[in-house]
Amino acid sequence: MTITFIDPDGLPKIDVYRQVSVATGSKLVFVAGQVAWDGGDLAAQVEQCYLNVATALAGVGASFADVAKLNVHVVDWTPDKMPLLLAGIERAAARLGATPVPPATLLGVAALDVPEHLVEVEATAVLD
């Protein structure tokens, strides 16, 4: 594997991601922000975004095991939306047979490209 996930001493340990990734591969893969075009609530859209990222990665011979960093953009983010976000991630993980745990940044945004989009997920992966 070209990526090692680390939670350095002195930083909080978060269940859904690791604080640091160390990548040693030679090919970088940048996946554009993925959205759910079929609508649904936040959990359903998060699930579809992660599945779309997996599809994009598979298209270049990669998987979530190769992801070094995720950025998640949620419209009108408030902490009470966390259970829906986590539910969507868990459902995607179950369907993918893998739990994505790379470092992640969660950003609250005012809006995305169309009003129906509640979340967008982008990824950076590293391959040998």
Side-chain angles (χ1 to χ4, degrees):
M1 173 178 298
T2 61
I3 299 171
T4 303
F5 298 124
I6 302 167
D7 280 326
D9 290 338
L11 292 177
K13 304 220 182 315
I14 309 295
D15 291 339
V16 295
Y17 67 87
R18 300 299 171 262
Q19 295 286 359
V20 176
S21 65
V22 178
T24 58
S26 59
K27 182 193 277 186
L28 293 176
V29 178
F30 300 95
V31 178
Q34 297 297 305
V35 295
W37 288 98
D38 297 337
D41 68 0
L42 180 60
Q45 288 196 26
V46 168
E47 178 182 8
Q48 188 60 56
C49 289
Y50 274 73
L51 295 175
N52 290 352
V53 168
T55 298
L57 291 167
V60 296
S63 72
F64 262 102
D66 301 304
V67 173
K69 178 78 168 71
L70 289 170
N71 289 322
V72 180
H73 308 264
V74 181
V75 174
D76 296 326
W77 174 258
T78 56
D80 64 313
K81 294 181 179 181
M82 185 61 84
L84 289 171
L85 178 75
L86 295 176
I89 294 170
E90 289 170 5
R91 292 189 331 219
R95 289 182 63 184
L96 295 169
T99 302
V101 294
T105 299
L106 173 60
L107 300 165
V109 297
L112 292 170
D113 59 336
V114 297
E116 294 79 20
H117 291 156
L118 305 176
V119 62
E120 183 171 333
V121 178
E122 61 183 292
T124 302
V126 180
L127 302 176
D128 285 327

